[in-house]
Amino acid sequence: MDTEDTGELFLPRSRRANERLHAMIPGGAHTYAKGDDQYPDNLAPVISHGKGAHVWDIDGNRYIEYGSGLRSVSLGHAHPRVIEAVRRELDRGSNFVRPSIVEVEAAERFLATVPTAEMVKFAKNGSDATTAAVRLARAATGRPRVAICADHPFFSVDDWFIGTTPMSAGIPAATNELTVSFPYGDLAATEELLTRYQDEVACLILEPASHTEPPPGYLAGLRELADRHGCVLIFDEMITGFRWSEAGAQGLYGVVPDLSTFGKALGNGFAVSALAGRRDLMERGGLRHSGDRVFLLSTTHGAETHSLAAAMAVLTTYVEEGVTARLHALGERLAAGVRDAAASTGVGDHLVVRGRASNLVFATLDENGQPSQQYRTLFLRRLLAGGVLAPSFVVSSALGDADIDHTVEVVAQACAVYRKALDAADPTPWLAGRPVKPVFRRLA
């Protein structure tokens, strides 16, 4: 790797490519979470290619990659079984004027893997699926309001959610007023919300779990609340789907939502998402009912054969190879190593690993125990210099023991610098530029 004795990393080609990206693409990336503002100043590698758990930037540096494709590439890049399935369909055509038999096969495979759902419709991204679920809930209940979990960071690019974030420019206040929020894990507060907006809330939408496990009885309690107040319970399983169990978090916790949405891991990097749920609700977007029709999901590329073939290969691989169990085992090994490294260097209370083993994130806390973008910047700089690209510690099944061991070694080196900055009560000398920034903020 191109470094100096200071452990610094230089990315001249990536820097030039980032300038070209910003000249033509707003934000310099097609996903805000991939923007160079999420990385230390002048240390945002532009990727050339990836294989398994590794990626290479255009400067020739190799990294162990975590959080692959924003959690979508859970089997590792260019997974042979997925690529073979995709190539087979590419030679047979990707899109037709009528449904392909692949659509039947993909639906059957999905519903066999997630048996709590009765029908499924595929799309290309998670936002379309969650918005379709919200629209369906509003149509089924005749109610205008959407209740979102306030503790979960993202549900959709559409107005009903983005209007609740600091990046709400361009969204009418009247739209924002129709979205209300409830805290995760607090049934009493949720019931108070449903009572306050009696007969107005169409749905409760939340991730069934995230960085913390649901409190005992919580999801079942939400199910009972939704039934009692006549609203639709929606689980956003974009992240939990397959990482929690092959049947999603609903399969693990045994609580069945009315509707659920899947994506990310479903295609191992190929564009495919799914809306699934109860037949009587889903059929409102179909042709075999007598009520008003719901424009549920209708996308030109929603059923591209190669993406559905990728999904089927992913589902088969998860079930046959026990991928979820491997993700948990890898995550547990990584979390233990990072925590030991942080504790041994005296920063165990400042570099904090959180979340389910298959979906680890880390928090960087300052000398007062408060979340710090400056200390995050310091930590990311040292990881990058050591060949670890880790906006999170979310694992893929392609990681090996040697990858985990190297990551822990690099984390230990980063923690030693972290300790120096804490002792100085000022991380600025170790930043070499502006700190990384949160995705959702009002001003650029």
Side-chain angles (χ1 to χ4, degrees):
M1 179 164 291
D2 185 14
T3 62
E4 289 186 337
D5 293 339
T6 58
E8 188 56 272
L9 176 67
F10 295 93
L11 303 175
R13 292 186 180 89
S14 290
R15 292 182 188 183
R16 290 194 293 271
N18 277 312
E19 287 303 311
R20 291 165 59 196
L21 284 164
H22 279 282
M24 297 177 289
I25 301 166
H30 288 94
T31 311
Y32 282 119
K34 296 183 182 182
D36 58 3
D37 60 334
Q38 303 300 293
Y39 292 84
D41 215 8
N42 292 318
L43 282 187
V46 174
I47 303 303
S48 164
H49 62 287
K51 182 68 175 177
H54 299 136
V55 296
W56 287 258
D57 66 25
I58 60 175
D59 292 278
N61 301 307
R62 187 183 79 159
Y63 306 88
I64 302 168
E65 187 195 40
Y66 293 90
S68 311
L70 304 182
R71 296 179 172 84
S72 67
V73 189
S74 60
L75 301 178
H77 298 290
H79 187 273
R81 194 169 190 171
V82 177
I83 296 301
E84 180 185 357
V86 168
R87 283 180 176 149
R88 187 167 56 246
E89 289 304 325
L90 287 176
D91 287 337
R92 294 161 51 85
S94 62
N95 209 338
F96 311 105
V97 75
R98 279 281 295 149
S100 162
I101 190 64
V102 177
E103 296 181 47
V104 178
E105 296 166 349
E108 289 173 340
R109 187 75 54 84
F110 180 92
L111 294 172
T113 309
V114 186
T116 41
E118 295 175 326
M119 297 188 82
V120 62
K121 194 155 190 180
F122 295 111
K124 299 309 272 183
N125 63 70
S127 293
D128 285 350
T130 52
T131 291
V134 165
R135 185 183 303 119
L136 196 54
R138 281 171 161 163
T141 62
R143 299 174 178 180
R145 295 190 189 273
V146 177
I148 65 172
C149 182
D151 299 303
H152 296 157
F154 187 79
F155 289 105
S156 174
V157 300
D158 294 303
D159 289 3
W160 63 269
F161 172 71
I162 291 297
T164 70
T165 75
M167 294 176 70
S168 60
I171 300 173
T175 298
N176 299 345
E177 291 167 2
L178 293 178
T179 300
V180 295
S181 64
F182 60 94
Y184 187 79
D186 190 336
L187 290 173
T190 305
E191 181 160 30
E192 191 278 328
L193 179 78
L194 292 172
T195 301
R196 188 191 329 153
Y197 297 107
Q198 187 70 40
D199 298 329
E200 293 184 37
V201 176
C203 60
L204 302 172
I205 182 169
L206 73 157
E207 296 178 59
S210 58
H211 304 323
T212 58
E213 287 292 292
Y218 173 63
L219 295 179
L222 276 183
R223 174 72 279 172
E224 190 275 331
L225 277 179
D227 290 340
R228 181 149 48 89
H229 287 268
C231 57
V232 175
L233 181 61
I234 304 171
F235 282 177
D236 178 344
E237 296 236 38
M238 293 295 161
I239 293 173
T240 57
F242 316 119
R243 282 191 177 272
W244 263 240
S245 82
E246 287 81 3
Q250 58 195 277
L252 178 66
Y253 300 124
V255 176
V256 181
D258 299 302
L259 298 170
S260 53
T261 59
F262 292 79
K264 293 192 181 292
L266 181 58
N268 202 54
F270 287 91
V272 59
S273 62
L275 168 65
R278 281 171 31 199
R279 180 175 300 277
D280 63 310
L281 286 174
M282 295 287 288
E283 191 59 78
R284 287 174 175 265
L287 301 176
R288 298 184 175 183
H289 66 97
S290 58
D292 290 343
R293 295 182 66 193
V294 176
F295 193 92
L296 190 56
L297 282 167
S298 182
T299 56
T300 299
H301 302 292
E304 283 177 325
T305 57
H306 59 274
S307 291
L308 294 184
M312 285 192 286
V314 168
L315 293 169
T316 300
T317 302
Y318 261 81
V319 172
E320 292 184 358
E321 298 183 11
V323 171
T324 303
R326 175 166 174 77
L327 293 175
H328 280 92
L330 287 166
E332 286 168 359
R333 179 185 173 100
L334 176 64
V338 170
R339 286 170 180 145
D340 286 347
S344 65
T345 51
V347 297
D349 293 332
H350 301 273
L351 176 65
V352 182
V353 180
R354 297 171 175 163
R356 195 170 182 84
S358 61
N359 188 55
L360 296 172
V361 297
F362 58 83
T364 51
L365 309 180
D366 64 16
E367 52 273 9
N368 298 313
Q370 297 301 307
S372 169
Q373 294 295 99
Q374 288 186 308
Y375 280 98
R376 179 176 175 85
T377 307
L378 176 154
F379 187 61
L380 289 177
R381 290 189 73 86
R382 307 307 299 191
L383 293 188
L384 286 163
V388 177
L389 180 59
S392 69
F393 281 142
V394 176
V395 296
S396 76
S397 65
L399 288 161
D401 289 346
D403 295 317
I404 301 293
D405 291 344
H406 179 74
T407 301
V408 172
E409 289 175 8
V410 173
V411 167
Q413 295 165 8
C415 287
V417 178
Y418 204 131
R419 183 66 260 172
K420 292 179 182 179
L422 286 169
D423 290 341
D426 181 14
T428 305
W430 288 274
L431 300 188
R434 53 121 183 100
V436 299
K437 299 179 180 181
V439 172
F440 289 114
R441 57 187 193 272
R442 189 171 68 87
L443 300 175

